[in-house]
């Protein structure tokens, strides 16, 4: 549940970009950071390893203005996707209000996407949260590779693997070029705020 300060009329909403290592979560936030400078009050915080992998999380606060008299700040986080960091992933999910699942469309990442989604389900369970009730958007990232000779998964396969049961909004995207990064963000913000409003008012 979002952090609501009734006295100062502020709401802090936590959205987490989750998915397998090297899928493009940090690149999503970097693109958002570069496009929405005036809505971002502070610097993007990145805690990374020497080779640019996320070590703990990336953090980007995003101001969306007032809703029903409340000043709403969206806090965007990424998790470290490397398999060994599950304890950290679970920690970052604490208090989550909405999730973007960033899948990697490369064919050789098929199993990793599925494993990561299954682990997300389990990690949420430890907080008594149900993935099926969570505001969620799927992003099939690196779609620009279609133009290369790297084999990629079809959207039918991705939908079947990852979204067959969940049936949430899904976007093909390229965080590298910015394709569909902002539509993904807008969708998760509107879904999450909708769900918070239902709980608040
Ligand atoms: N071709 C292509 N490469 C991408 C895209 N998005 C990210 N990458 C590349 O994939 C690599 C990993 O991207 P990151 O954003 O660091 O991935 P991550 O999900 O944050 O990875 P972890 O922090 O390890 O979990 C980088 O070399 C990016 O430039 C994309 O849309 N297309
Ligand atoms: Mg990262």
């Amino acid at each position: 549940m979002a952090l609501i300060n009734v006295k100062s009329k502020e709401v802090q909403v936590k959205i987490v970009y989750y998915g397998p290592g090297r899928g493009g979560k940090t690149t999503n936030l970097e693109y958002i950071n570069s496009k929405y400078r005036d809505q971002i009050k502070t610097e993007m915080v990145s805690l990374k390893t020497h080779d640019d992998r996320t070590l703990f999380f990336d953090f980007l606060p995003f101001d969306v203005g007032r809703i029903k008299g409340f000043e709403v700040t969206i806090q965007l986080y990424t998790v470290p996707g490397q398999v060994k960091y599950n304890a950290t992933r679970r920690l970052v999910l604490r208090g989550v209000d909405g999730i973007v699942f960033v899948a990697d469309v490369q064919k050789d990442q098929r199993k990793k996407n599925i494993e990561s989604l299954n682990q997300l389900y389990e990690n949420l369970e430890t907080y008594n949260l149900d993935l099926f009730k969570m505001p969620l958007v799927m992003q099939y990232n690196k779609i620009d590779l279609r133009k290369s000779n790297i084999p990629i998964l079809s959207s039918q396969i991705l939908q079947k693997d990852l979204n067959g049961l969940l049936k949430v909004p899904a976007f093909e995207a390229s965080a590298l070029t910015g394709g569909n990064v902002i539509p993904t963000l807008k969708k998760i913000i509107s879904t999450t705020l909708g769900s918070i409003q239902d709980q608040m008012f």
Side-chain angles (χ1 to χ4, degrees), residues 64-93:
V64 291
R66 290 188 164 268
I67 296 177
K68 297 197 177 176
F70 282 77
E71 187 71 35
V72 180
T73 306
I74 311 275
Q75 309 196 311
L76 302 178
Y77 283 84
T78 75
V79 296
Q82 290 182 77
V83 172
K84 60 185 171 186
Y85 294 135
N86 192 45
T88 310
R89 273 194 290 285
R90 203 180 293 149
L91 210 63
V92 175
L93 283 172

